[in-house]
């Protein structure tokens, strides 16, 4: 009864004292938390992080750091596409460590993009399109050295961005020697697991010798890297 009375007056997470923003978009329940060393965005969860910006420049200690291996694994690192831009965590890190890279972002939730500009210091020179990632790929003819897929939440995977057809489109938008990295979120193994199915799907598109996974230390995240073979080669082991 107390929760029912208090919550509408103070917001859903009425016990939080460090919320810079709480609200809803047409897709998500959103929280922006202002902590001592970082600002974080949580979407549809009370505990968890979908985007982060550090108040001191540097690594985050989260899965974003592991994903930075993608440009190093690619034959070239001149361009990147981010599907699931969020508030621009990947973009900020790429700008810091690969300052000459051209970056394009796609984010389905316009409200998240608005919050990125208000609270998260999203780089203003990076174009962000409000669109579904798969639909955007279907309409685009551009190619990239790196494609970062971060559209999954916890163990929830949008079906339209987990199919053979989707990863085939991603592969077609990679330059020869280009690398896709997917944040698989939850570490799960074994026959019938989500990760097994997703890994098998990606391997069927890129080839078994062209994929690898990396578990992020001290988190529940797993990153999967898949490389498009360079010109004249069908196997280019990761």
């Amino acid at each position: 009864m107390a929760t029912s009375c208090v919550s509408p007056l103070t917001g859903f997470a009425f016990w939080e004292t460090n919320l810079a923003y709480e609200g809803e978009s047409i897709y998500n329940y959103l929280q922006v938390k202002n902590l001592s060393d970082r600002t974080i965005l949580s979407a549809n969860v009370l505990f968890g992080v979908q985007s982060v910006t550090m108040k001191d420049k540097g690594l985050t200690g989260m899965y974003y750091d592991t994903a930075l291996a993608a440009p190093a694994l690619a034959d070239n690192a001149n361009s990147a596409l981010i599907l699931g831009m969020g508030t621009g965590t990947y973009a900020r890190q790429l700008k810091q460590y690969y300052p000459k890279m051209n970056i394009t972002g796609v984010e389905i939730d316009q409200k998240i993009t608005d919050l990125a500009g208000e609270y998260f210091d999203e780089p203003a020179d990076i174009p962000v399109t409000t669109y579904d990632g798969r639909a955007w790929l279907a309409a685009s003819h551009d190619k990239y050295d790196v494609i970062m897929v971060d559209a999954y939440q916890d163990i929830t995977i949008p079906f339209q961005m987990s199919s053979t057809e989707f990863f085939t489109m991603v592969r077609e938008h990679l330059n020869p020697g280009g690398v896709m990295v997917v944040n698989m979120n939850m570490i799960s193994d074994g026959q019938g697991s989500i990760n097994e199915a997703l890994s098998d799907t990606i391997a069927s598109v890129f080839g078994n010798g062209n994929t690898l996974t990396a578990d992020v230390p001290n988190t529940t995240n797993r990153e999967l890297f898949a490389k498009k073979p360079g010109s004249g080669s069908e196997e280019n082991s990761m």
Side-chain angles (χ1 to χ4, degrees):
M1 291 178 62
T3 300
S4 300
C5 294
V6 174
S7 179
L9 301 177
T10 60
F12 180 74
F14 59 88
W15 60 89
E16 296 278 10
T17 59
N18 55 359
L19 287 183
Y21 172 86
E22 180 186 16
E24 292 179 272
S25 70
I26 60 172
Y27 295 104
N28 297 293
Y29 162 70
L30 302 168
Q31 288 183 347
V32 176
K33 294 182 183 180
N34 186 22
L35 305 178
S36 60
D37 63 335
R38 66 190 66 196
T39 303
I40 63 175
L41 172 74
S42 297
N44 301 322
V45 293
L46 295 181
F47 309 100
V49 177
Q50 273 66 53
S51 287
V52 59
T53 183
M54 307 302 293
K55 295 182 179 179
D56 292 327
K57 301 297 183 183
L59 297 174
T60 66
M62 301 173 65
Y63 71 87
Y64 309 102
D65 306 344
T66 304
L68 281 178
L73 291 168
D75 290 356
N76 298 289
N78 299 317
S79 58
L81 171 66
I82 304 170
L83 300 178
M85 181 74 164
T87 65
T89 305
Y90 278 145
R92 283 186 292 276
Q93 290 198 301
L94 289 174
K95 292 284 285 186
Q96 181 173 352
Y97 296 105
Y98 298 88
K100 295 182 179 181
M101 179 179 279
N102 294 317
I103 305 168
T104 300
V106 180
E107 170 57 52
I108 195 171
D109 194 332
Q110 179 63 50
K111 184 61 180 178
I112 290 180
T113 302
D114 295 341
L115 293 174
E118 186 173 355
Y119 296 103
F120 289 89
D121 192 29
E122 182 169 271
D125 59 340
I126 295 178
V128 182
T129 302
T130 304
Y131 220 60
D132 172 78
R134 176 166 174 164
W136 191 93
L137 283 178
S140 171
H141 300 287
D142 296 330
K143 294 181 182 292
Y144 303 88
D145 296 322
V146 174
I147 297 179
M148 311 178 94
V149 181
D150 192 18
Y152 307 160
Q153 289 188 14
D154 298 325
I155 59 172
T156 303
I157 300 179
F159 71 90
Q160 77 272 19
M161 297 182 72
S162 59
S163 65
T164 300
E165 291 78 10
F166 170 70
F167 291 114
T168 298
M169 279 199 293
V170 172
R171 190 180 190 276
E172 290 172 349
H173 283 77
L174 283 171
N175 289 320
V179 170
M180 173 190 73
V181 57
V182 177
N183 175 33
M184 298 173 73
N185 283 10
M186 302 297 289
I187 295 174
S188 62
D189 290 302
Q191 187 173 6
S193 68
I194 293 175
N195 279 356
E196 181 191 49
L198 194 60
S199 296
D200 288 348
T201 299
I202 293 171
S204 72
V205 174
F206 284 86
N208 287 317
N210 301 321
T211 65
L212 62 82
T213 59
D215 290 345
V216 183
N218 303 313
T219 76
T220 61
N221 292 90
R222 173 174 293 169
E223 301 299 292
L224 187 147
F225 301 87
K227 187 170 186 177
K228 181 177 181 178
S231 299
S233 173
E234 283 303 313
E235 281 295 328
N236 191 348
S237 176
M238 296 284 278

